């Protein structure tokens, strides 16, 4: 689970609210987190592996890739997988060595290794999930820029600088403020903890607030582009716009499901921190709600890795292609031939629209200043799959 409470727990003189949630049924919580992270990691890796039919990976595209959006989706999945790995390691150690948690206290302050492991694992998890948040924001910005301008793959370098730079900077700054003057004697008081929580939740809130705005404006722009291609809005173009809208909705739905419980839980714990006695009977409902959301976080936070791949690509199946290089060559030749044949005979294939042919048709119709419009549609339509005559047709997928 990615919560700043885990870093706060690493302080021997932690606050009462953090002590309350982290020490409540730690074995059960660790087992749930471990199980959720392990399943999410397994299925996320399965999702992004190359498949024999219908799902195509890096290097298998007969048309040029116009923007960095598909690479961003792949990087988000990698960040989620690395974050899940941290959750698995931390939960496994805490379950296998339960005494290591007891050593993180003011009484047993001679051994610093439990605190070092606690801090190191917490920072690893926070760093990669925070990077995932920044990359998710960059994805929303990128798809918007693609339909507004001719933004290309070169922008990926700028996104790397922004995401990793901000993720590392905010993580280090927040932890430095929290553990001042030392990890064995953290400064108490909300004025030292708040900067750490702000640096953790700032990218999360940015995605929750800004991404829907960017996605909504992108869908509106794409709809205008589709209408302006031939002056009409056909059923195929309406279907394409709906596919893009649904894809953005699924991305935001996964984010809300996985991370809104964190905000609710943190608000409740901050309220408890401001009370003189958190064990007061009048706070019973708040304590119970905080515990419920705490366990929900432990389950849902790691599940983002798998759920994101479903939102990006749909279910890709179990038919893994282990002969990757050979499959690349075969798919390149067969798809190039099939796309060319379909374009020459029927650019738009009824209700089973092949997006590559759709892009090629738009390139013919808009020659010149409309080139980046078709590029934008090809980027936004990646990740969908359609069935043509009972067999899976290769379409754009994010890598």
């Amino acid at each position: 689970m990615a919560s700043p409470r885990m870093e706060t727990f690493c302080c021997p003189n932690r606050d009462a609210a953090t002590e309350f949630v982290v020490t409540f049924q730690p074995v059960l919580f660790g087992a749930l987190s471990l199980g959720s992270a392990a399943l999410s990691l397994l299925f996320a890796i399965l999702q992004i592996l190359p498949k024999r039919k219908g799902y195509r990976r890096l290097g298998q595209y007969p048309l040029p890739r116009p923007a960095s959006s598909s690479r961003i989706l792949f990087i988000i999945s990698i960040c989620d997988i690395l974050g899940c790995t941290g959750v698995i390691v931390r939960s496994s150690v805490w379950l296998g060595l339960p005494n290591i948690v007891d050593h993180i206290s003011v009484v047993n302050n001679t051994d610093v290794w439990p605190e070092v492991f606690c801090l190191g694992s917490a920072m690893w998890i926070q760093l990669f999930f925070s990077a995932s948040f920044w990359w998710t924001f960059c994805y929303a910005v990128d798809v918007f820029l693609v339909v507004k301008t001719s933004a290309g793959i070169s922008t990926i370098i700028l996104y790397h600088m922004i995401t990793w730079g901000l993720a590392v900077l905010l993580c280090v700054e927040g932890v430095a403020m929290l553990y001042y003057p030392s990890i064995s004697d953290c400064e108490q008081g909300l004025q030292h903890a708040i900067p750490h929580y702000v640096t953790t939740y700032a990218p999360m809130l940015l995605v929750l607030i800004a991404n829907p705005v960017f996605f909504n404006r992108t869908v509106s722009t794409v709809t205008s582009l589709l209408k302006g291609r031939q002056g009409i809005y056909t059923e195929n173009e309406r279907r394409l716009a709906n596919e893009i809208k649904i894809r953005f909705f699924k991305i935001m739905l996964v984010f809300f499901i996985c991370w809104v419980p964190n905000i609710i839980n943190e608000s409740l714990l901050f309220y408890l921190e401001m009370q003189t006695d958190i064990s007061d009977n009048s706070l019973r409902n708040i304590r119970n709600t905080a515990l419920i959301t705490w366990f929900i976080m432990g389950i849902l936070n790691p599940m983002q890795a798998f759920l994101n791949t479903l939102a990006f690509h749909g279910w890709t199946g179990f038919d893994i292609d282990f002969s990757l290089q050979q499959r690349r060559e075969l798919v390149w030749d067969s798809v190039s031939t099939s796309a060319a044949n379909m374009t020459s005979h029927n650019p738009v294939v009824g209700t089973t629209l092949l997006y590559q042919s759709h892009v090629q048709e738009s390139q013919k119709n808009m020659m010149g200043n409309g080139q980046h419009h078709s590029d934008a549609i090809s980027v936004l339509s990646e990740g969908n799959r359609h069935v043509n005559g009972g067999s899976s047709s290769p379409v754009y997928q994010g890598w």
Side-chain angles (χ1 to χ4, degrees):
M1 181 186 62
S3 171
R5 289 289 165 178
M6 287 301 186
E7 285 98 331
T8 307
F9 179 72
C10 299
C11 290
N13 52 340
R14 48 191 169 267
D15 60 272
T18 301
E19 179 79 13
F20 168 67
V21 291
V22 177
T23 57
F24 180 82
Q25 296 291 336
V27 175
L28 176 61
F29 179 82
L32 291 174
S33 297
L34 177 60
S36 176
L39 286 175
S40 182
L41 178 68
L42 174 64
F43 282 104
I45 293 176
L46 177 66
Q47 281 280 94
I48 65 176
L49 287 175
K51 304 302 188 299
R52 285 192 172 89
K53 296 185 296 184
Y55 182 69
R56 303 188 358 260
R57 303 286 309 151
L58 181 62
Q60 297 177 329
Y61 300 90
L63 296 178
R65 302 300 310 195
S68 50
S69 301
S70 52
R71 293 193 179 184
I72 292 176
L73 297 182
F74 180 69
I75 294 172
I76 292 174
S77 296
I78 295 300
C79 290
D80 291 339
I81 288 173
L82 291 174
C84 278
T85 303
V87 174
I88 292 173
V89 171
R90 182 180 64 191
S91 299
S92 300
V93 171
W94 283 12
L95 288 174
L97 302 172
N99 291 333
I100 196 173
V101 178
D102 298 331
H103 291 165
I104 307 175
S105 65
V106 178
V107 178
N108 300 319
N109 59 356
T110 56
D111 189 3
V112 298
W113 288 113
E115 298 169 9
V116 171
F117 171 78
C118 179
L119 174 59
S121 60
M123 287 188 66
W124 174 279
I125 296 168
Q126 180 190 342
L127 174 64
F128 284 106
F129 278 118
S130 179
S132 176
F133 301 156
W134 287 114
W135 278 111
T136 304
F137 172 71
C138 286
Y139 174 74
V141 173
D142 188 75
V143 294
F144 176 73
L145 292 178
V146 166
V147 298
K148 281 293 186 181
T149 66
S150 54
I153 198 67
S154 60
T155 56
I156 194 73
I157 300 176
L158 176 62
Y159 295 146
H160 273 292
M161 295 172 61
I162 293 174
T163 54
W164 294 113
L166 287 174
V168 172
L169 177 64
L170 293 179
C171 181
V172 172
E173 187 273 338
V175 169
M177 290 291 295
L178 181 65
Y179 293 118
Y180 178 83
S182 72
I183 188 175
S184 298
D185 186 23
C186 304
E187 189 74 27
Q188 292 185 334
L190 288 177
Q191 67 272 20
H192 292 276
I194 286 178
H196 172 59
Y197 290 88
V198 169
T199 56
T200 301
Y201 285 103
M204 184 189 303
L205 293 174
L206 180 65
V207 173
L208 289 173
I209 296 172
N211 276 38
V213 176
F214 279 110
F215 286 155
N216 183 64
R217 296 193 62 181
T218 301
V219 170
S220 300
T221 305
V222 168
T223 302
S224 300
L225 291 177
L226 290 172
K227 288 180 179 179
R229 295 157 87 185
Q230 294 179 340
I232 58 175
Y233 195 42
T234 66
E235 181 63 26
N236 288 326
E237 289 165 332
R238 184 178 292 106
R239 184 182 300 109
L240 176 56
N242 287 336
E243 289 283 354
I244 295 171
K245 186 185 301 184
I246 291 172
R247 186 184 192 190
F248 290 161
F249 173 77
K250 289 190 294 185
I251 292 173
M252 289 310 305
L253 179 63
V254 168
F255 200 88
F256 271 85
I257 291 174
C258 292
W259 299 108
V260 167
N262 292 53
I263 299 175
I264 298 174
N265 179 264
E266 203 58 61
S267 302
L268 295 172
L269 292 180
F270 260 118
Y271 179 79
L272 289 176
E273 276 189 55
M274 292 185 291
Q275 309 304 312
T276 54
D277 182 14
I278 67 170
S279 60
D280 190 275
N281 191 53
S282 62
L283 302 173
R284 179 180 179 181
N285 290 336
I286 296 179
R287 291 196 303 270
N288 291 339
T289 307
L291 290 175
I292 291 172
T293 53
W294 178 257
F295 276 80
I296 291 175
M297 289 162 54
I299 297 171
L300 291 182
N301 285 181
M303 286 303 297
Q304 177 181 254
F306 172 52
L307 295 179
N308 261 346
T309 61
L310 287 178
F312 297 158
H313 314 299
W315 175 247
T316 62
F318 295 97
D319 194 12
I320 301 174
D321 183 5
F322 293 101
S323 55
L324 180 58
Q325 186 60 39
Q326 180 182 1
R327 293 300 303 171
R328 283 179 178 173
E329 296 171 357
L330 291 175
V331 173
W332 183 284
D333 294 338
S334 61
V335 173
S336 298
T337 303
S338 108
N341 291 337
M342 292 183 67
T343 305
S344 61
H345 291 93
N346 188 6
V348 180
V349 188
T351 58
T352 57
L353 175 66
L354 182 61
Y355 286 124
Q356 292 175 354
S357 299
H358 197 73
V359 172
Q360 290 174 350
E361 180 204 15
S362 68
Q363 289 172 339
K364 292 178 181 180
N365 293 333
M366 300 193 64
M367 304 291 287
N369 61 0
Q371 176 66 39
H372 89 273
H373 293 170
S374 7
D375 288 346
I377 296 170
S378 71
V379 173
L380 296 176
S381 63
E382 64 194 6
N384 301 292
R385 70 174 62 221
H386 289 259
V387 177
N388 185 8
S391 62
S392 178
S393 299
V395 294
Y396 277 134
Q397 289 279 359
W399 64 72

